[in-house]
Amino acid sequence: MMNTLSADPLEPHLADDFHYESQWVFSGITSKQEFLDYIRPKLATIKESGFRVWAEMAEMGAYPKGPCLVLAEGEQQKLVATLLLKVAGGKIQRADLCLIPHPEAARRSGEYPT
């Protein structure tokens, strides 16, 4: 989604009761549709600005253990956030955007999904 600036490829992978939390936002999002309504205008704004962002597949080896994405802005090596994911039944159940754990703590893959 971040690498293409389109939520369309992500949409079928989200659970209907998908939850999204961010350390930078006061209230959480508690459904797939609410998240899509929230993220689509944000992606459009980024696209219109010409600002470059990257999302790289990664994994946390320690707590919280599991798959994640590390996000960079401006330059591929300028990591700014970690997106922790909870996957169950083949769907993304939850995503938490955070600075702690810091993205430098993740094992980076070099893979930037589109």
Side-chain angles (χ1 to χ4, degrees):
M1 174 182 78
M2 296 307 295
N3 295 322
T4 62
L5 298 178
S6 171
D8 294 345
L10 180 67
E11 185 175 356
H13 302 287
L14 298 176
D16 289 336
D17 61 347
F18 173 76
H19 281 66
Y20 173 79
E21 296 280 344
S22 170
Q23 289 180 343
W24 294 277
V25 178
F26 291 114
S27 61
I29 291 174
T30 59
S31 76
K32 173 181 178 175
Q33 191 58 54
E34 185 182 359
F35 176 74
L36 293 170
D37 292 345
Y38 164 82
I39 202 66
R40 284 189 169 123
K42 291 194 169 299
L43 295 171
T45 299
I46 294 168
K47 191 175 212 172
E48 290 170 12
S49 77
F51 190 70
R52 189 71 168 107
V53 295
W54 291 268
E56 179 182 358
M57 299 294 294
E59 186 169 344
M60 293 305 244
Y63 180 80
K65 197 170 192 160
C68 68
L69 293 170
V70 291
L71 305 175
E73 293 179 347
E75 301 172 15
Q76 242 174 340
Q77 299 306 314
K78 187 180 174 194
L79 300 179
V80 296
T82 305
L83 185 68
L84 302 172
L85 303 172
K86 178 183 177 189
V87 179
K91 297 281 186 175
I92 302 170
Q93 301 288 317
R94 183 180 177 97
D96 291 275
L97 185 63
C98 47
L99 183 58
I100 300 170
H102 195 275
E104 293 287 344
R107 278 190 310 244
R108 298 173 66 183
S109 70
E111 184 180 334
Y112 296 85
T114 55

